[in-house]
Amino acid sequence: MVKAKGQEAPSAPPPSPSLSATTETGEEVVRPTPVADKDAEEVEAQPPAEPEFIQQARRRAYWQTPGMRALFVGTVLVLSVLLTAQWALFERNRLVAWKPELQPTFQALCGALGCTLAPIQRIDAIVIDSTALVRRLGNFYSFDLVLKNTASISVALPALELSLTDAADNVISRRVFLPQDLPEAPDLLPAGGSLSVSLRLSIAVGDSLPMAGYRALVFYP
């Protein structure tokens, strides 16, 4: 007897798990097995967030590290130096009037920055201490006055205005003398110092407007 040889049929893969139910008519209904959501598993796997007080403590500890403290102190120092330099440049004229030895320093700075140095103008600090208008010969007069600086710093020399008046105190003639018109006058009046000025004038007024007095005042042009 001859027996036929054949290959053994491969075994069927195991059925996937499923849920089945039988209806009233006898039909079998297969329900799919629920698959776990991977995203939900990943979210559930994350550790819980730190409490707020721990996060605040961690931030405070970061700003209190030696490196951050050094950076903060360095920034404050740099800003302070820049602010002081800006103030000194803005008040350069007053500082030079207060400390004349600072003038070379500020002249160098202004040469680099394009600024200028000018004397302080304080007309309220200048007082006309005395005046005298004396006729010398014919129409020639001498006008003498003393200017006094009452401030504690040097101030710029002002201009001088001389007005001649008649008997009714009306101005019949006026002349202005700028600082450069005053003989041998300095550019600055020193703190608490005085300056004597003597001018030689030729005054010609008509007989219809006789000169009876004068007024003198100082101002900055």
Side-chain angles (χ1 to χ4, degrees):
M1 178 180 294
V2 179
K3 294 182 180 180
K5 294 182 180 181
Q7 296 180 351
E8 184 181 357
S11 60
S16 58
S18 60
L19 297 177
S20 61
T22 304
T23 61
E24 295 178 355
T25 57
E27 296 178 356
E28 185 178 358
V29 179
V30 179
R31 296 179 180 178
T33 303
V35 180
D37 191 351
K38 294 182 179 180
D39 294 337
E41 293 179 356
E42 293 178 358
V43 171
E44 293 176 358
Q46 291 180 357
E50 292 181 343
E52 182 65 24
F53 71 92
I54 295 180
Q55 296 179 5
Q56 292 179 356
R58 184 170 297 176
R59 285 194 294 266
R60 285 196 297 268
Y62 171 77
W63 288 106
Q64 292 177 0
T65 57
M68 293 305 300
R69 285 186 175 182
L71 179 61
F72 178 74
V73 172
T75 303
V76 171
L77 291 177
V78 170
L79 292 177
S80 300
V81 170
L82 291 177
L83 184 61
T84 303
Q86 185 179 9
W87 173 84
L89 190 62
F90 181 76
E91 296 288 344
R92 61 187 181 276
N93 295 329
R94 192 176 299 275
L95 291 174
V96 170
W98 178 53
K99 293 288 185 180
E101 58 269 21
L102 295 176
Q103 184 170 358
T105 301
F106 281 101
Q107 283 180 340
L109 287 175
C110 286
L113 300 176
C115 59
T116 57
L117 285 176
I120 292 294
Q121 296 183 352
R122 283 193 54 186
I123 200 63
D124 61 300
I126 299 177
V127 176
I128 299 178
D129 200 36
S130 64
T131 62
L133 181 63
V134 180
R135 187 172 185 175
R136 296 301 180 182
L137 180 64
N139 294 331
F140 293 96
Y141 292 77
S142 66
F143 179 65
D144 302 315
L145 80 160
V146 177
L147 300 177
K148 185 176 182 179
N149 177 18
T150 61
S152 59
I153 60 175
S154 300
V155 297
L157 186 66
L160 169 66
E161 180 185 285
L162 177 62
S163 301
L164 305 179
T165 59
D166 59 11
D169 202 29
N170 296 318
V171 176
I172 59 176
S173 180
R174 180 185 289 114
R175 183 173 177 181
V176 173
F177 300 89
L178 297 177
Q180 58 267 28
D181 298 331
L182 303 178
E184 299 180 358
D187 295 332
L188 294 174
L189 280 177
S194 299
L195 174 67
S196 297
V197 179
S198 182
L199 300 173
R200 298 295 180 263
L201 306 175
S202 175
I203 301 175
V205 293
D207 296 336
S208 59
L209 293 173
M211 183 182 65
Y214 67 92
R215 291 198 298 264
L217 60 88
V218 290
F219 67 98
Y220 287 115

